[in-house]
Structures are given as C-alpha cells and as structure tokens.
Amino acid sequence: MTIETALRSAMETIPDCIAAGYVDMETGMLLGINTLDSDSAEVLDSLALAVANLFQGRGIKAFEELLRSAKAEESGNPGFGEIAVFSKDRLNIFLRTQEYPDHVVCYICRNSANVGLALTKSHLSLGPVAAAV
C-alpha cells in the first residue's frame, strides 16, 4: 500500500476530513498527500514546514521540559504525541508516529466534524498510515 492510498483510506473514516498529509519534520518535506480540493493541497504544502516548529519549537520544548520536571519523567520521551488546532473553519489534527518520532500525520477536517470521533478515527488510522511509508 502506498502512503497516498493509506491517507485516502484514513480520510474516508475520519468525519469531514478534507485533506491528509505525511510530514518528515527533520527535512520539512511532505512525503505523502491526499486532498479533496486543490486549496487544501496548498495549505498542506505550507503546513509541512510549520509542523516541525509546532512539535519541536523552543516554546513547546520548554513546556514539555516543565511537564517532565513536574512529573519526574524521563527525557527520552520524544514529546507531544498529538496536537489539535481549532481555527475558524477547520480542525487540524497532528499525530506523531511511534515508529518514526520525526514523522507526523496531519488531518484537516471541516469545523463541523465531531471532534471526539475525528480524534479517535485519526488515532486508529495512525498505524496503517505509518506502515505504508
């Protein structure tokens, strides 16, 4: 199965999902994409560069370190595993893969999506999408 096929399959299960992408944070490259419209493809292209900063930026790293020190956790943890961002008309879901901690799967859904169901279905799709790389 190709990454594009895996993303398409995931989009079919995630409510109101209009785009999906697979990003390598180390290079900032979009390794796979599937969208319902060309506007979403352009957004994902731009988003690929921002994902690394979202997960590995200075502010996030400082916040994660604060949480680790409060819980006395190991520093071997790669950091946040998921981030959901709500905008005026979109729900953006970013999931770090366990197999490749520098890879993130991005889903863009309409704001009409059921958030709980979108997050659950996103998590369920993570394994098959990561396995397609």
Side-chain angles (χ1 to χ4, degrees), residues 94-106:
F94 306 98
L95 302 167
R96 186 189 302 253
T97 65
Q98 291 184 356
E99 296 83 355
Y100 309 101
D102 286 338
H103 291 185
V104 172
V105 181
C106 309

Side-chain angles (χ1 to χ4, degrees), residues 19-112:
Y22 192 93
V23 176
D24 178 349
M25 292 190 293
E26 198 170 305
T27 63
M29 291 182 61
L30 192 58
L31 301 179
I33 186 170
N34 191 50
T35 66
L36 297 180
D37 59 32
S38 60
D39 290 342
S40 298
E42 290 176 21
V43 168
L44 275 173
D45 243 356
S46 301
L47 194 60
L49 295 172
V51 167
N53 192 41
L54 184 63
F55 276 88
Q56 300 172 332
R58 239 180 327 160
I60 291 293
K61 288 292 186 190
F63 182 64
E64 289 173 339
E65 190 57 40
L66 180 67
L67 291 176
R68 273 197 274 290
S69 65
K71 292 183 177 181
E73 288 184 17
E74 298 176 14
S75 62
N77 184 338
F80 283 119
E82 72 179 65
I83 297 175
V85 178
F86 299 87
S87 66
K88 180 180 176 186
D89 58 346
R90 298 285 184 254
L91 164 62
N92 303 280
I93 301 170
F94 306 98
L95 302 167
R96 186 189 302 253
T97 65
Q98 291 184 356
E99 296 83 355
Y100 309 101
D102 286 338
H103 291 185
V104 172
V105 181
C106 309
Y107 296 109
I108 300 175
C109 303
R110 292 183 188 93
N111 66 349
S112 57

